[in-house]
Amino acid sequence: MKKTVSALLAFVLVFVLVLSLFGCSSSKKEITIAIPNDTTNEARALQLLENLGYIKLKEGAGITATPLDIAENPYNLKFNEVEAAQLPSVRTDVDYAIINSNYAIDAGLNPTKDAFGIEGSASAYANILAVKEGNENSDLIKALAAALKSQQVADFIANSYDGAVVSVVDNPTDGYDSSIDYAALAGKEISVAASPKPHAEILEIAKTILAEKNISLKIIEFTDYVQPNLVVDSGELDANYFQHVPYLDDFNKENNTHVVSVALIHVEPLGIYGGKQTSLDAIKG
């Protein structure tokens, strides 16, 4: 009888040990990634993760993809949808954060050095100069566009951001538009809404170009993605410089605004940065 009890006890102990080991192997630490909560940038973040091989999106998910469009999530990743401007500040509370380059730069991060992964090609998301529909052909706006598409601006971008911001202007100008009567614009002012980095910094170069023709450029900084379009649509400001066309198209649709693109200036690759983790190895365990 004692032998039987001992055998049963031994079996139970072995069974409990096996269960314990199985439980440990299946209790992999949950990985949380903070991503932008605005429609197009959220899709970009998910596409970056797909390109890195961590998830697979449903066919045709496109530029409006959300976590609901994930077809395969083999590493059981969890997502925190956060306002883009807040991503650098919440980064330390999650395992990883996927951040727009302008906010990364503003937080002291260098996308080409600090990001664990970065968009291979983001030409579809080139940042634009935008104005209220109907104003795109005004001489003041054309003058601003010419200044932003100048060689001076292209050189500033190349020399200042170490590849984190890339000019998309194919044939930079001397900063001026030969079709404009600049003398008639002397003494006038253009007001532009912009995010602090890199947009407001780039506009400072355009400001010096316009000043040569006695045109003033007033740069008003915003830290969100909503107000810059609203103040342009209302006519409070002349233009804005902070977004890409897919975002603008979605914003117009959702808010019944009428803001249009005037010129493509630069692109900012989206990157994934460590929070609690020091490499991407933790995703696969």
Side-chain angles (χ1 to χ4, degrees), residues 8 34 49 59 91 124 173 194 208 238 246 261 279:
L8 286 172
L49 289 172
E59 187 175 350
R91 183 168 61 99
T173 70
T208 63
D238 298 315
S261 172
S279 77

Side-chain angles (χ1 to χ4, degrees), residues 102-122:
N102 59 313
Y103 292 126
I105 294 169
D106 199 39
L109 297 168
N110 185 315
T112 60
K113 295 179 179 179
D114 300 321
F116 298 150
I118 200 165
E119 285 177 311
S121 174

Side-chain angles (χ1 to χ4, degrees), residues 186-209:
K188 294 189 176 182
E189 179 183 85
I190 311 170
S191 55
V192 186
S195 60
K197 293 183 179 181
H199 304 84
E201 295 175 336
I202 294 170
L203 283 167
E204 288 291 342
I205 307 303
K207 183 175 183 177
T208 63
I209 294 170

Side-chain angles (χ1 to χ4, degrees), residues 33-36 45-46 48-49 87 96-100 270-273:
I33 304 177
I35 59 176
L46 296 175
L48 173 59
L49 289 172
L87 285 164
Y96 305 96
I98 298 180
I99 307 175
N100 299 74
L270 206 65
I272 180 169
Y273 299 83

Side-chain angles (χ1 to χ4, degrees), residues 29-100:
K29 183 178 180 296
E30 184 175 277
I31 295 295
T32 301
I33 304 177
I35 59 176
N37 67 359
D38 58 278
T39 305
T40 52
N41 286 310
E42 182 169 53
R44 288 175 72 187
L46 296 175
Q47 288 166 355
L48 173 59
L49 289 172
E50 182 176 49
N51 291 336
L52 291 171
Y54 298 123
I55 63 171
K56 184 174 181 180
L57 294 170
K58 296 176 183 176
E59 187 175 350
I63 62 172
T64 59
T66 73
L68 297 176
D69 294 300
I70 296 175
E72 298 177 19
N73 186 5
Y75 303 107
N76 196 31
L77 302 177
K78 304 299 180 183
F79 298 96
N80 284 1
E81 297 167 286
V82 178
E83 184 183 355
Q86 300 305 314
L87 285 164
S89 62
V90 305
R91 183 168 61 99
T92 55
D93 298 324
V94 295
D95 294 290
Y96 305 96
I98 298 180
I99 307 175
N100 299 74

